[in-house]
Amino acid sequence: MSAEVIAVNGGKWGDEGKGKIVDHFAQSADVVIRAQGGDNAGHTIKNGTGKFVLHQVPSGIFNPDCLNIIGTGTVFNPVSFINEIADLQEKGVDVSNIRISNRAALVLPVHIIEDKLREGQRENGGIGTTNRGIGPAYTDRTSRDGLSVADINDLDTFMGKLKPLLKRKRDSYPGADNPQLHTDYYEDLRGQWFLELEEYITDSQALINKYLSHDSKIVIEGAQGTLLDKDYGTLPYVTSSSTTIGGLLQGAGIPPSALTQAIGVFKAYDSRVGNGGFPTELKGEEGDRLRELGHEYGATTNRPRRVGWFDGVAALYSSQLNGYTDIALTRLDTLSEFGKAQINYGYQLDGEQTDIFPANDNDALEKCIPCNISKFKMEDISWVRKFKDLPLEAQFYCNRISQITDTRISLIGIGEGREDLIII
Ligand code: GDP
Ligand code: IMO
Ligand code: MG
């Protein structure tokens, strides 16, 4: 017996529609594991009961028979998690099938102060982080000074680790007056977290190993997107975790040999929140129109998302890095409403043509001008439910994306709702 393991990540800069795609697979899954990131994510799911934006809760929550694990590779924020589940419960969602890895790193209120402070110190408007303390929490995990979720369970352990951590921060930051930099702030808070979270915290690895040894279906949910990866993304304008399929396996605690499907979610056009190069960005009136048609405002921060044409060079980079078996292409309906589409197969950089994505050089990325472009006329698809019924140019468009990435498209999003999917 062997488990079916499907990993789903974002192909570009996040907000590709991962929530919707994970929800689709979760309908028949035994477990969904959120692999990395924290409450910087905003995963939208629209189903029969309403529209929900999930931040830390995995996107399998709407299947009551599916276990939802907040994985070891995540940075877990107790404050926002408690609010998130209260909100879900108020809307009638059963949250009893959530588990939190005892090994996950803890986001503390001090990390949020630090995130804002660091952003303020950065030049040129900073990275444009979500201010959720993600970078500082991962930094403390990597430097081995941070706390883990398991530490919530015992006051002495918690305080024993917190004391030197806060002292180090007070010594190195000019924010020492903030109560969040002092241990007193955390005593009652830790007790409250323990009471609220005890039932969810578990050795998730032991659980996952059981699922792996049975004939079960496991979905790994990524957050952010490949181009925001801390090593392979558009540095320094990235998040602080590993967002690739390889990173997801590590974060979820699943051995690479167990993987059966690697699904990249791509939006039919591109979008980016926060700063950093975006060669195919559509500015001016056209960009505004696409943003409004797609309601492209951040699900977590409500910031307007920058939008642009589907970048073929970036898509190739991403698909090669992730080794996708399948692509889920979302929002084809939005592009159809927009009426046209465009894909570039190269960039002009310093007078030379290239098809290499300069991920580790933002200055170069800012200079890249899309070239070798195909244009497509997009017609109404509101009545379409099957690939063969799509207008020919829309079919060509999808086939082009498939050719560039050398990956089959097995799902196409044609609306927000759970049923608005063409399954190929
Ligand atoms: P995620 O972070 O990757 O889960 O994506 P977000 O939830 O941040 O943003 C994706 C947005 O697109 C959400 O508002 C989804 O409801 C919406 N969405 C996803 N797929 C489709 C689609 O195929 N068509 C339309 N119209 N909306 C979609
Ligand atoms: P989902 O999972 C889009 C971006 C931020 C910023 C950079 C670093 O919904 O796709 P951070 O707070 O992580 O240190 O910010 O990463 N970012 C996202 N952009 N979707 C997300 O998540 C994002 N999570 C972080 O805007 O540019
Ligand atoms: Mg999102």
Side-chain angles (χ1 to χ4, degrees):
M1 275 198 286
S2 60
E4 182 185 358
V5 180
I6 304 172
V8 180
N9 83 341
K12 297 270 181 75
W13 284 289
D15 304 327
E16 300 91 346
K18 298 174 291 295
K20 174 175 161 151
I21 301 300
V22 171
D23 171 68
H24 164 75
F25 287 110
Q27 295 313 301
S28 54
D30 299 292
V31 53
V32 172
I33 312 167
R34 175 66 189 278
Q36 36 69 232
D39 65 355
N40 48 350
H43 295 180
T44 314
I45 295 168
K46 194 175 169 199
N47 57 28
T49 41
K51 189 168 165 174
F52 302 85
V53 180
L54 302 174
H55 299 287
Q56 296 190 86
V57 170
S59 297
I61 193 69
F62 300 105
N63 174 1
D65 298 325
C66 178
L67 198 74
N68 286 274
I69 298 177
I70 300 178
T72 296
T74 64
V75 280
F76 177 76
N77 182 331
V79 179
S80 72
F81 175 78
I82 290 166
N83 290 334
E84 186 173 349
I85 57 169
D87 196 39
L88 286 169
Q89 279 172 313
E90 208 171 286
K91 292 175 178 154
V93 181
D94 177 11
V95 296
S96 61
N97 55 352
I98 298 177
R99 300 289 180 275
I100 307 162
S101 166
N102 55 356
R103 295 172 172 88
L106 210 50
V107 179
L108 298 167
V110 65
H111 290 131
I112 292 158
I113 306 266
E114 254 183 303
D115 197 0
K116 291 179 183 164
L117 204 68
R118 291 292 311 279
E119 273 290 87
Q121 290 167 340
R122 291 184 178 112
E123 288 175 1
N124 303 322
I127 293 168
T129 75
T130 57
N131 278 333
R132 298 295 196 273
I134 305 298
Y138 272 119
T139 302
D140 283 343
R141 164 53 58 101
T142 308
S143 69
R144 299 158 294 186
D145 298 315
L147 279 72
S148 298
V149 164
D151 298 327
I152 293 175
N153 292 335
D154 182 73
L155 178 64
D156 290 342
T157 311
F158 189 90
M159 285 303 168
K161 291 187 181 177
L162 186 67
K163 229 174 162 179
L165 181 74
L166 291 184
K167 177 165 182 342
R168 192 166 56 83
K169 290 183 192 293
R170 283 197 303 271
D171 290 347
S172 51
Y173 279 111
D177 290 345
N178 282 301
Q180 290 88 341
L181 270 92
H182 296 269
T183 45
D184 303 354
Y185 185 86
Y186 294 86
E187 276 195 31
D188 290 349
L189 206 54
R190 199 268 341 154
Q192 183 201 331
W193 292 349
F194 176 66
L195 287 178
E196 304 241 18
L197 302 176
E198 191 193 3
E199 63 181 296
Y200 302 105
I201 300 173
T202 189
D203 180 350
S204 61
Q205 203 53 38
L207 262 178
I208 289 167
N209 290 337
K210 264 192 209 158
Y211 279 102
L212 276 173
S213 63
H214 289 85
D215 203 4
S216 41
K217 181 168 172 178
I218 301 173
V219 180
I220 308 176
E221 177 174 10
Q224 292 78 53
T226 302
L227 303 181
L228 291 173
D229 182 271
K230 73 178 175 64
D231 301 305
Y232 294 98
T234 52
L235 278 149
Y237 301 99
V238 294
T239 191
S240 298
S241 64
S242 298
T243 59
T244 58
I245 295 288
L248 263 60
L249 291 166
Q250 162 77 7
I254 299 279
S257 55
L259 186 68
T260 44
Q261 239 182 321
I263 300 184
V265 186
F266 286 85
K267 209 168 348 198
Y269 51 91
D270 286 350
S271 72
R272 174 160 210 178
V273 215
N275 300 330
F278 185 179
T280 61
E281 183 167 10
L282 261 172
K283 294 188 176 152
E285 264 175 43
E286 284 214 301
D288 291 345
R289 195 164 81 81
L290 183 54
R291 179 178 308 105
E292 292 315 312
L293 280 175
H295 314 288
E296 292 291 353
Y297 292 86
T300 297
T301 57
N302 210 27
R303 289 178 291 177
R305 293 174 183 152
R306 300 154 68 194
V307 292
W309 300 121
F310 187 94
D311 187 335
V313 180
L316 171 65
Y317 174 75
S318 173
S319 65
Q320 288 179 329
L321 185 57
N322 287 298
Y324 293 133
T325 59
D326 300 73
I327 283 177
L329 189 70
T330 62
R331 281 200 174 271
L332 194 62
D333 54 318
T334 308
L335 209 46
S336 301
E337 279 182 69
F338 193 55
K340 51 189 175 176
Q342 181 170 311
I343 304 180
N344 62 302
Y345 310 106
Y347 296 137
Q348 280 289 340
L349 175 59
D350 295 330
E352 307 256 325
Q353 190 170 324
T354 178
D355 60 3
I356 293 176
F357 185 72
N360 53 352
D361 183 350
N362 191 62
D363 289 343
L365 192 63
E366 298 271 10
K367 284 194 281 179
C368 285
I369 302 164
C371 69
N372 199 356
I373 290 169
S374 292
K375 296 189 179 196
F376 303 81
K377 186 171 181 291
M378 303 302 270
E379 293 170 83
D380 177 37
I381 61 162
S382 54
W383 54 279
V384 175
R385 285 289 168 275
K386 291 187 179 133
F387 186 78
K388 68 174 180 48
D389 295 334
L390 283 172
L392 274 185
E393 289 229 11
Q395 293 194 21
F396 289 154
Y397 186 67
C398 296
N399 290 338
R400 273 292 172 183
I401 291 175
S402 191
Q403 279 166 2
I404 293 171
T405 54
D406 197 18
T407 308
R408 73 184 200 113
I409 296 178
S410 57
L411 292 169
I412 298 178
I414 48 170
E416 272 193 298
R418 188 180 265 175
E419 311 307 324
D420 300 328
L421 266 181
I422 297 177
I423 302 170
I424 305 169

